[in-house]
């Protein structure tokens, strides 16, 4: 073999060995992150990896002459630089709250539970008949801020005569954070009861959407809280308890999840620190209260584009290329760790079916045609809550029932208002309990 080819082969071999060493040290670092639960912002894992790399480099160079002893340290330096990026915050580590919205005042209420939540009030329009019972809105998430597209819908409800109150769940939006172990579905239900007490207007109507619908469903299964609710609207609910969460079944008609263009904008998952932290939390390899990244830093880091696929899945396939911007960059807020904690407490909870069967609060269920939610999450509630008086199957919309497209907001508002006023429903009462088997087989 010619000398230059021999040298080239040796050089390529050294590169492969160096790359393998870098990959091995990076793998060791990630394994140590999991074992130490990210202690001290990942520095415990990083220093241990660095020490192991230096020791290995010294051992490999022990028989070499002095200049040759430096070669084994190159992969260590490269690996140290790459993994150090996981340990260095790139956003503020103390909570940065969104600025106030220009069209509604932000109030802050301290609840009896200890939560301090951001509250918004949309009084009824003056030129329409005022509805006698206040309407409380529970947004989805969990632990997100109320999006601008939601605020617009609440304004529409107020123009229909509803006295609308909404609050951002503890940890979301402009509400104060909680210690991580206090984010539970039980705490969310207690916060709802405490909010109604603080409102001090007697029984209220409650509209719960997605994660908020889960809070509302569990509230209906708690007699003391249910007694505070005049009428309940359960819109596109998630799983209500552990047994329901383990159901994997039918979904609605195709959504825009794999059809919509990628959401533009910055993503936290393009930064190594947050890609590792949030990814490992999602996989269950790091605890929500991991030492790698504090709750406040995670909230500051996550951007709307990080949830782009979830946003697309909330719309019907034909709407894939006209999905509206749901929120502004300044208003968007999401706490991934707190959200995972609440979801885990739902998965760990026993069945609430026996308690829900005893509910006497008049309720309505709303199901979207292109829902990304498992159908049985909604039909289980329909089967168990005997006080559900009507179901409204919403054609032409996905999980995000009110979305500002076409007349979707007006149709949703009409359905909600008719139920709260005990007037005939704009849509057929479908599915009923008797329709559930057919509804699931038809995958409507």
């Amino acid at each position: 073999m010619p000398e230059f080819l021999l040298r080239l082969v040796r050089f390529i071999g050294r590169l492969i060995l160096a790359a393998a060493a870098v990959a091995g040290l990076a793998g060791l670092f990630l394994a140590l992150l999991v074992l130490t639960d990210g202690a001290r912002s990942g520095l415990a894992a990083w220093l241990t990896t660095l020490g192991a790399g230096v020791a290995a480099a010294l051992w490999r160079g022990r028989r070499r002459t002095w200049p040759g002893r430096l070669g084994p340290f190159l992969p260590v330096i490269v690996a140290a630089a790459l993994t150090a990026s996981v340990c260095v915050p790139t956003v503020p580590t103390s909570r940065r709250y969104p600025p106030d919205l220009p069209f509604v005042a932000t109030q802050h209420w301290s609840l009896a539970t200890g939560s301090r939540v951001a509250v918004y009030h949309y009084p009824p329009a003056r030129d329409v008949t005022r509805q006698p019972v206040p309407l409380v809105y529970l947004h989805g998430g969990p632990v997100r801020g109320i999006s601008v597209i939601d605020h617009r819908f609440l304004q529409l409800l107020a123009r229909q005569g509803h006295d609308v109150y909404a609050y951002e769940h503890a940890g979301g939006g402009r509400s104060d954070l909680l210690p991580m172990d206090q984010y539970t579905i039980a705490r969310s239900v207690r916060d709802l009861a405490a909010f109604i007490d603080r409102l001090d207007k007697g029984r209220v109507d409650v509209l719960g959407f997605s994660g908020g619908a889960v809070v509302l469903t569990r509230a209906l299964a708690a007699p003391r809280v249910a007694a505070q609710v005049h009428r309940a609207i359960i819109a596109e609910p998630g799983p209500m308890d552990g047994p329901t969460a383990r159901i994997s079944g039918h979904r609605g008609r195709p959504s825009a999840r794999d059809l919509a263009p990628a959401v533009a904008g910055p993503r936290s998952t393009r930064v190594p620190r947050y890609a590792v932290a949030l990814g490992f939390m999602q996989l269950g390899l790091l605890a929500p209260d991991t030492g790698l990244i504090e709750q406040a830093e995670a909230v500051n880091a996550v951007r709307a584009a990080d949830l782009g696929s979830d946003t697309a899945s909330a719309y019907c396939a034909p709407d894939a290329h006209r999905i509206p911007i749901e929120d502004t960059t300044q208003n968007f807020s999401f706490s991934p760790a707190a959200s995972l904690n609440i979801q885990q407490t739902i998965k760990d909870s026993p069945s609430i079916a026996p308690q829900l069967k005893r509910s006497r609060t008049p309720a309505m269920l709303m199901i979207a045609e292109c829902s990304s939610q498992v159908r049985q999450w909604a039909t289980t509630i329909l089967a168990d809550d005997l006080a559900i008086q009507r179901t409204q199957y919403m054609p032409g919309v996905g999980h995000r029932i009110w979305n500002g497209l076409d007349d979707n907001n007006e149709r949703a508002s009409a359905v909600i208002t008719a139920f709260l006023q005990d007037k005939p429903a704009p849509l057929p009462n479908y599915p009923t309990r008797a329709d559930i088997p057919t509804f699931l087989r038809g995958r409507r």
Side-chain angles (χ1 to χ4, degrees):
M1 180 181 293
E3 182 66 22
F4 79 93
L5 285 179
L6 186 59
R7 290 180 180 178
L8 179 60
V9 169
R10 288 174 178 171
F11 177 72
I12 293 174
R14 292 191 187 101
L15 285 180
I16 293 174
L17 289 175
V22 171
L25 287 170
L28 174 63
F29 170 72
L30 295 177
L32 289 170
L33 270 183
V34 174
L35 291 173
T36 61
D37 198 24
R40 298 185 179 276
S41 197
L43 284 176
W46 186 81
L47 290 172
T48 304
T49 303
L50 180 62
V54 169
L58 289 172
W59 185 82
R60 288 183 60 201
R62 70 191 187 283
R63 295 179 180 175
R64 300 183 184 185
T65 59
W66 172 243
R69 291 181 181 178
L70 298 178
F73 284 91
L74 181 59
V76 178
I77 294 170
V78 173
L82 290 175
T83 54
S85 62
V86 178
C87 304
V88 180
T90 60
V91 300
T93 56
S94 58
R95 182 71 176 100
R96 296 292 186 265
Y97 292 92
D100 287 351
L101 292 163
F103 50 81
V104 64
T106 304
Q107 306 174 52
H108 287 94
W109 290 8
S110 295
L111 305 181
T113 56
S115 299
R116 187 170 182 270
V117 297
V119 180
Y120 309 92
H121 179 211
Y122 291 102
R126 296 179 179 178
D127 57 346
V128 296
T129 303
R130 182 189 184 104
Q131 302 305 316
V133 180
L135 174 61
V136 173
Y137 176 61
L138 296 177
H139 63 87
V143 202
R144 289 181 70 164
I146 299 177
S147 66
V148 169
I149 207 168
D150 272 349
H151 278 287
R152 291 178 183 143
F153 184 64
L154 300 181
Q155 290 173 320
L156 173 60
L157 291 175
R159 291 196 295 272
Q160 304 301 318
H162 299 284
D163 190 15
V164 182
Y165 290 85
Y167 68 93
E168 289 173 315
H169 303 160
R174 296 162 186 83
S175 294
D176 287 3
L177 304 179
L178 295 175
M180 189 56 64
D181 61 357
Q182 293 187 26
Y183 289 109
T184 66
I185 189 61
R187 173 61 173 265
S188 298
V189 173
R190 292 197 300 272
D191 278 351
L192 170 60
F195 179 83
I196 297 173
D197 285 340
R198 175 71 170 74
L199 186 60
D200 196 24
K201 290 182 178 289
R203 293 200 301 163
V204 300
D205 295 325
V206 182
L207 165 61
F209 166 68
S210 192
V214 177
V215 176
L216 175 56
T217 301
R218 295 184 69 98
L220 297 178
R224 193 188 76 80
V225 187
Q228 299 173 285
V229 180
H230 175 252
R231 284 178 172 256
I233 301 171
I234 304 167
E236 279 289 286
M240 66 180 186
D241 54 24
T244 312
R246 289 188 285 275
I247 294 175
S248 58
H250 301 307
R251 300 178 188 269
R253 297 198 187 279
S255 75
R257 184 180 184 92
D258 298 320
L259 303 173
V263 177
R267 298 172 184 262
S268 67
T269 48
R270 290 174 179 166
V271 179
R273 176 173 176 80
Y274 307 116
V276 170
L278 302 179
F280 278 22
M281 278 193 285
Q282 185 71 38
L283 293 171
L285 298 175
L286 291 177
D289 58 350
T290 174
L292 178 58
I293 178 173
E294 294 289 339
Q295 177 187 177
E297 183 187 348
V299 177
N300 294 337
V302 175
R303 300 288 185 266
D306 290 316
L307 305 181
S309 61
D310 288 340
T311 299
S313 70
Y315 291 81
C316 291
D319 294 328
H321 294 278
R322 61 168 194 155
I323 293 176
I325 297 175
E326 293 189 349
D327 212 352
T328 63
T329 302
Q330 295 77 15
N331 186 63
F332 176 81
S333 170
F334 176 58
S335 177
S339 179
L340 287 171
N341 226 42
I342 290 177
Q343 291 179 59
Q344 190 60 51
T345 64
I346 295 173
K347 294 175 183 177
D348 293 340
S349 68
S351 172
I352 63 168
Q355 295 87 351
L356 191 58
K357 288 180 184 297
R358 294 194 288 270
S359 174
R360 296 295 178 266
T361 303
M364 177 178 73
L365 182 65
M366 296 177 72
I367 304 176
E369 180 181 11
C370 309
S371 177
S372 55
Q373 307 287 75
V374 173
R375 287 298 196 209
Q376 285 90 333
W377 294 349
T379 57
T380 298
I381 295 173
L382 176 60
D384 290 337
D385 187 352
L386 303 182
I388 290 180
Q389 298 179 344
R390 65 177 74 166
T391 302
Q392 300 286 266
Y393 177 73
M394 307 295 295
V397 294
H399 180 60
R400 174 63 77 172
I401 296 177
W402 42 87
N403 53 36
L405 297 176
D406 304 327
D407 64 344
N408 293 336
N409 284 18
E410 288 73 18
R411 291 194 296 127
S413 174
V415 163
I416 291 167
T417 299
F419 174 71
L420 295 181
Q421 295 181 4
D422 200 20
K423 293 182 177 179
L427 298 171
N429 180 24
Y430 178 82
T432 64
R433 291 179 189 86
D435 295 322
I436 290 176
T438 304
F439 178 71
L440 295 177
R441 282 199 304 271
R443 306 181 75 168
R444 290 185 60 179

mmCIF file with all atom_site columns, all heavy atoms in Angstrom, residues 22-37:
data_model
loop_
_atom_site.group_PDB
_atom_site.id
_atom_site.type_symbol
_atom_site.label_atom_id
_atom_site.label_alt_id
_atom_site.label_comp_id
_atom_site.label_asym_id
_atom_site.label_entity_id
_atom_site.label_seq_id
_atom_site.pdbx_PDB_ins_code
_atom_site.Cartn_x
_atom_site.Cartn_y
_atom_site.Cartn_z
_atom_site.occupancy
_atom_site.B_iso_or_equiv
_atom_site.pdbx_formal_charge
_atom_site.auth_seq_id
_atom_site.auth_comp_id
_atom_site.auth_asym_id
_atom_site.auth_atom_id
_atom_site.pdbx_PDB_model_num
ATOM 1   N N   . VAL A 1 22 ? -15.725 10.506 21.982 1.00 0.00 ? 22 VAL A N   1
ATOM 2   C CA  . VAL A 1 22 ? -16.629 11.635 22.269 1.00 0.00 ? 22 VAL A CA  1
ATOM 3   C C   . VAL A 1 22 ? -18.042 11.109 22.524 1.00 0.00 ? 22 VAL A C   1
ATOM 4   O O   . VAL A 1 22 ? -18.709 11.510 23.489 1.00 0.00 ? 22 VAL A O   1
ATOM 5   C CB  . VAL A 1 22 ? -16.622 12.644 21.107 1.00 0.00 ? 22 VAL A CB  1
ATOM 6   C CG1 . VAL A 1 22 ? -17.723 13.688 21.302 1.00 0.00 ? 22 VAL A CG1 1
ATOM 7   C CG2 . VAL A 1 22 ? -15.273 13.326 20.998 1.00 0.00 ? 22 VAL A CG2 1
ATOM 8   N N   . ALA A 1 23 ? -18.508 10.207 21.645 1.00 0.00 ? 23 ALA A N   1
ATOM 9   C CA  . ALA A 1 23 ? -19.852 9.651  21.806 1.00 0.00 ? 23 ALA A CA  1
ATOM 10  C C   . ALA A 1 23 ? -19.979 8.879  23.121 1.00 0.00 ? 23 ALA A C   1
ATOM 11  O O   . ALA A 1 23 ? -20.997 8.952  23.810 1.00 0.00 ? 23 ALA A O   1
ATOM 12  C CB  . ALA A 1 23 ? -20.182 8.743  20.622 1.00 0.00 ? 23 ALA A CB  1
ATOM 13  N N   . GLY A 1 24 ? -18.920 8.142  23.472 1.00 0.00 ? 24 GLY A N   1
ATOM 14  C CA  . GLY A 1 24 ? -18.952 7.387  24.717 1.00 0.00 ? 24 GLY A CA  1
ATOM 15  C C   . GLY A 1 24 ? -19.039 8.285  25.934 1.00 0.00 ? 24 GLY A C   1
ATOM 16  O O   . GLY A 1 24 ? -19.807 8.017  26.867 1.00 0.00 ? 24 GLY A O   1
ATOM 17  N N   . LEU A 1 25 ? -18.265 9.378  25.920 1.00 0.00 ? 25 LEU A N   1
ATOM 18  C CA  . LEU A 1 25 ? -18.312 10.313 27.049 1.00 0.00 ? 25 LEU A CA  1
ATOM 19  C C   . LEU A 1 25 ? -19.658 11.031 27.116 1.00 0.00 ? 25 LEU A C   1
ATOM 20  O O   . LEU A 1 25 ? -20.202 11.255 28.205 1.00 0.00 ? 25 LEU A O   1
ATOM 21  C CB  . LEU A 1 25 ? -17.176 11.326 26.922 1.00 0.00 ? 25 LEU A CB  1
ATOM 22  C CG  . LEU A 1 25 ? -15.770 10.773 27.214 1.00 0.00 ? 25 LEU A CG  1
ATOM 23  C CD1 . LEU A 1 25 ? -14.704 11.786 26.835 1.00 0.00 ? 25 LEU A CD1 1
ATOM 24  C CD2 . LEU A 1 25 ? -15.641 10.388 28.679 1.00 0.00 ? 25 LEU A CD2 1
ATOM 25  N N   . ALA A 1 26 ? -20.214 11.384 25.932 1.00 0.00 ? 26 ALA A N   1
ATOM 26  C CA  . ALA A 1 26 ? -21.531 12.025 25.916 1.00 0.00 ? 26 ALA A CA  1
ATOM 27  C C   . ALA A 1 26 ? -22.595 11.071 26.450 1.00 0.00 ? 26 ALA A C   1
ATOM 28  O O   . ALA A 1 26 ? -23.482 11.466 27.218 1.00 0.00 ? 26 ALA A O   1
ATOM 29  C CB  . ALA A 1 26 ? -21.884 12.480 24.505 1.00 0.00 ? 26 ALA A CB  1
ATOM 30  N N   . GLY A 1 27 ? -22.490 9.799  26.052 1.00 0.00 ? 27 GLY A N   1
ATOM 31  C CA  . GLY A 1 27 ? -23.430 8.803  26.564 1.00 0.00 ? 27 GLY A CA  1
ATOM 32  C C   . GLY A 1 27 ? -23.302 8.623  28.064 1.00 0.00 ? 27 GLY A C   1
ATOM 33  O O   . GLY A 1 27 ? -24.304 8.489  28.774 1.00 0.00 ? 27 GLY A O   1
ATOM 34  N N   . LEU A 1 28 ? -22.059 8.616  28.557 1.00 0.00 ? 28 LEU A N   1
ATOM 35  C CA  . LEU A 1 28 ? -21.833 8.514  30.002 1.00 0.00 ? 28 LEU A CA  1
ATOM 36  C C   . LEU A 1 28 ? -22.442 9.705  30.717 1.00 0.00 ? 28 LEU A C   1
ATOM 37  O O   . LEU A 1 28 ? -23.076 9.556  31.775 1.00 0.00 ? 28 LEU A O   1
ATOM 38  C CB  . LEU A 1 28 ? -20.328 8.435  30.282 1.00 0.00 ? 28 LEU A CB  1
ATOM 39  C CG  . LEU A 1 28 ? -19.910 8.464  31.769 1.00 0.00 ? 28 LEU A CG  1
ATOM 40  C CD1 . LEU A 1 28 ? -20.479 7.246  32.498 1.00 0.00 ? 28 LEU A CD1 1
ATOM 41  C CD2 . LEU A 1 28 ? -18.397 8.527  31.898 1.00 0.00 ? 28 LEU A CD2 1
ATOM 42  N N   . PHE A 1 29 ? -22.276 10.894 30.148 1.00 0.00 ? 29 PHE A N   1
ATOM 43  C CA  . PHE A 1 29 ? -22.841 12.106 30.742 1.00 0.00 ? 29 PHE A CA  1
ATOM 44  C C   . PHE A 1 29 ? -24.356 12.009 30.840 1.00 0.00 ? 29 PHE A C   1
ATOM 45  O O   . PHE A 1 29 ? -24.949 12.317 31.890 1.00 0.00 ? 29 PHE A O   1
ATOM 46  C CB  . PHE A 1 29 ? -22.439 13.325 29.907 1.00 0.00 ? 29 PHE A CB  1
ATOM 47  C CG  . PHE A 1 29 ? -23.150 14.590 30.279 1.00 0.00 ? 29 PHE A CG  1
ATOM 48  C CD1 . PHE A 1 29 ? -22.853 15.253 31.451 1.00 0.00 ? 29 PHE A CD1 1
ATOM 49  C CD2 . PHE A 1 29 ? -24.142 15.117 29.454 1.00 0.00 ? 29 PHE A CD2 1
ATOM 50  C CE1 . PHE A 1 29 ? -23.520 16.427 31.806 1.00 0.00 ? 29 PHE A CE1 1
ATOM 51  C CE2 . PHE A 1 29 ? -24.812 16.278 29.787 1.00 0.00 ? 29 PHE A CE2 1
ATOM 52  C CZ  . PHE A 1 29 ? -24.496 16.930 30.972 1.00 0.00 ? 29 PHE A CZ  1
ATOM 53  N N   . LEU A 1 30 ? -25.017 11.572 29.755 1.00 0.00 ? 30 LEU A N   1
ATOM 54  C CA  . LEU A 1 30 ? -26.471 11.461 29.769 1.00 0.00 ? 30 LEU A CA  1
ATOM 55  C C   . LEU A 1 30 ? -26.938 10.419 30.780 1.00 0.00 ? 30 LEU A C   1
ATOM 56  O O   . LEU A 1 30 ? -27.939 10.615 31.480 1.00 0.00 ? 30 LEU A O   1
ATOM 57  C CB  . LEU A 1 30 ? -26.983 11.122 28.374 1.00 0.00 ? 30 LEU A CB  1
ATOM 58  C CG  . LEU A 1 30 ? -26.756 12.195 27.291 1.00 0.00 ? 30 LEU A CG  1
ATOM 59  C CD1 . LEU A 1 30 ? -27.237 11.699 25.945 1.00 0.00 ? 30 LEU A CD1 1
ATOM 60  C CD2 . LEU A 1 30 ? -27.462 13.493 27.669 1.00 0.00 ? 30 LEU A CD2 1
ATOM 61  N N   . ALA A 1 31 ? -26.204 9.310  30.854 1.00 0.00 ? 31 ALA A N   1
ATOM 62  C CA  . ALA A 1 31 ? -26.559 8.286  31.842 1.00 0.00 ? 31 ALA A CA  1
ATOM 63  C C   . ALA A 1 31 ? -26.421 8.818  33.262 1.00 0.00 ? 31 ALA A C   1
ATOM 64  O O   . ALA A 1 31 ? -27.279 8.568  34.123 1.00 0.00 ? 31 ALA A O   1
ATOM 65  C CB  . ALA A 1 31 ? -25.684 7.052  31.646 1.00 0.00 ? 31 ALA A CB  1
ATOM 66  N N   . LEU A 1 32 ? -25.358 9.583  33.499 1.00 0.00 ? 32 LEU A N   1
ATOM 67  C CA  . LEU A 1 32 ? -25.157 10.163 34.829 1.00 0.00 ? 32 LEU A CA  1
ATOM 68  C C   . LEU A 1 32 ? -26.199 11.229 35.137 1.00 0.00 ? 32 LEU A C   1
ATOM 69  O O   . LEU A 1 32 ? -26.599 11.397 36.300 1.00 0.00 ? 32 LEU A O   1
ATOM 70  C CB  . LEU A 1 32 ? -23.749 10.742 34.934 1.00 0.00 ? 32 LEU A CB  1
ATOM 71  C CG  . LEU A 1 32 ? -22.611 9.710  34.987 1.00 0.00 ? 32 LEU A CG  1
ATOM 72  C CD1 . LEU A 1 32 ? -21.260 10.399 34.854 1.00 0.00 ? 32 LEU A CD1 1
ATOM 73  C CD2 . LEU A 1 32 ? -22.681 8.927  36.292 1.00 0.00 ? 32 LEU A CD2 1
ATOM 74  N N   . LEU A 1 33 ? -26.655 11.942 34.113 1.00 0.00 ? 33 LEU A N   1
ATOM 75  C CA  . LEU A 1 33 ? -27.744 12.905 34.316 1.00 0.00 ? 33 LEU A CA  1
ATOM 76  C C   . LEU A 1 33 ? -28.968 12.199 34.884 1.00 0.00 ? 33 LEU A C   1
ATOM 77  O O   . LEU A 1 33 ? -29.605 12.692 35.823 1.00 0.00 ? 33 LEU A O   1
ATOM 78  C CB  . LEU A 1 33 ? -28.117 13.576 32.995 1.00 0.00 ? 33 LEU A CB  1
ATOM 79  C CG  . LEU A 1 33 ? -27.410 14.859 32.584 1.00 0.00 ? 33 LEU A CG  1
ATOM 80  C CD1 . LEU A 1 33 ? -27.995 15.367 31.271 1.00 0.00 ? 33 LEU A CD1 1
ATOM 81  C CD2 . LEU A 1 33 ? -27.508 15.931 33.656 1.00 0.00 ? 33 LEU A CD2 1
ATOM 82  N N   . VAL A 1 34 ? -29.292 11.059 34.300 1.00 0.00 ? 34 VAL A N   1
ATOM 83  C CA  . VAL A 1 34 ? -30.461 10.307 34.762 1.00 0.00 ? 34 VAL A CA  1
ATOM 84  C C   . VAL A 1 34 ? -30.228 9.780  36.181 1.00 0.00 ? 34 VAL A C   1
ATOM 85  O O   . VAL A 1 34 ? -31.097 9.887  37.048 1.00 0.00 ? 34 VAL A O   1
ATOM 86  C CB  . VAL A 1 34 ? -30.764 9.151  33.791 1.00 0.00 ? 34 VAL A CB  1
ATOM 87  C CG1 . VAL A 1 34 ? -31.883 8.273  34.335 1.00 0.00 ? 34 VAL A CG1 1
ATOM 88  C CG2 . VAL A 1 34 ? -31.130 9.695  32.414 1.00 0.00 ? 34 VAL A CG2 1
ATOM 89  N N   . LEU A 1 35 ? -29.044 9.225  36.425 1.00 0.00 ? 35 LEU A N   1
ATOM 90  C CA  . LEU A 1 35 ? -28.748 8.645  37.732 1.00 0.00 ? 35 LEU A CA  1
ATOM 91  C C   . LEU A 1 35 ? -28.733 9.703  38.836 1.00 0.00 ? 35 LEU A C   1
ATOM 92  O O   . LEU A 1 35 ? -29.122 9.428  39.978 1.00 0.00 ? 35 LEU A O   1
ATOM 93  C CB  . LEU A 1 35 ? -27.406 7.917  37.694 1.00 0.00 ? 35 LEU A CB  1
ATOM 94  C CG  . LEU A 1 35 ? -27.369 6.630  36.853 1.00 0.00 ? 35 LEU A CG  1
ATOM 95  C CD1 . LEU A 1 35 ? -25.948 6.092  36.762 1.00 0.00 ? 35 LEU A CD1 1
ATOM 96  C CD2 . LEU A 1 35 ? -28.305 5.577  37.443 1.00 0.00 ? 35 LEU A CD2 1
ATOM 97  N N   . THR A 1 36 ? -28.274 10.907 38.524 1.00 0.00 ? 36 THR A N   1
ATOM 98  C CA  . THR A 1 36 ? -28.200 11.983 39.524 1.00 0.00 ? 36 THR A CA  1
ATOM 99  C C   . THR A 1 36 ? -29.427 12.887 39.483 1.00 0.00 ? 36 THR A C   1
ATOM 100 O O   . THR A 1 36 ? -29.518 13.836 40.261 1.00 0.00 ? 36 THR A O   1
ATOM 101 C CB  . THR A 1 36 ? -26.949 12.843 39.297 1.00 0.00 ? 36 THR A CB  1
ATOM 102 O OG1 . THR A 1 36 ? -27.018 13.455 37.989 1.00 0.00 ? 36 THR A OG1 1
ATOM 103 C CG2 . THR A 1 36 ? -25.676 12.007 39.386 1.00 0.00 ? 36 THR A CG2 1
ATOM 104 N N   . ASP A 1 37 ? -30.388 12.583 38.563 1.00 0.00 ? 37 ASP A N   1
ATOM 105 C CA  . ASP A 1 37 ? -31.566 13.422 38.350 1.00 0.00 ? 37 ASP A CA  1
ATOM 106 C C   . ASP A 1 37 ? -31.163 14.867 38.078 1.00 0.00 ? 37 ASP A C   1
ATOM 107 O O   . ASP A 1 37 ? -31.800 15.815 38.546 1.00 0.00 ? 37 ASP A O   1
ATOM 108 C CB  . ASP A 1 37 ? -32.525 13.348 39.536 1.00 0.00 ? 37 ASP A CB  1
ATOM 109 C CG  . ASP A 1 37 ? -33.931 13.833 39.172 1.00 0.00 ? 37 ASP A CG  1
ATOM 110 O OD1 . ASP A 1 37 ? -34.270 13.788 37.973 1.00 0.00 ? 37 ASP A OD1 1
ATOM 111 O OD2 . ASP A 1 37 ? -34.667 14.270 40.074 1.00 0.00 ? 37 ASP A OD2 1
#
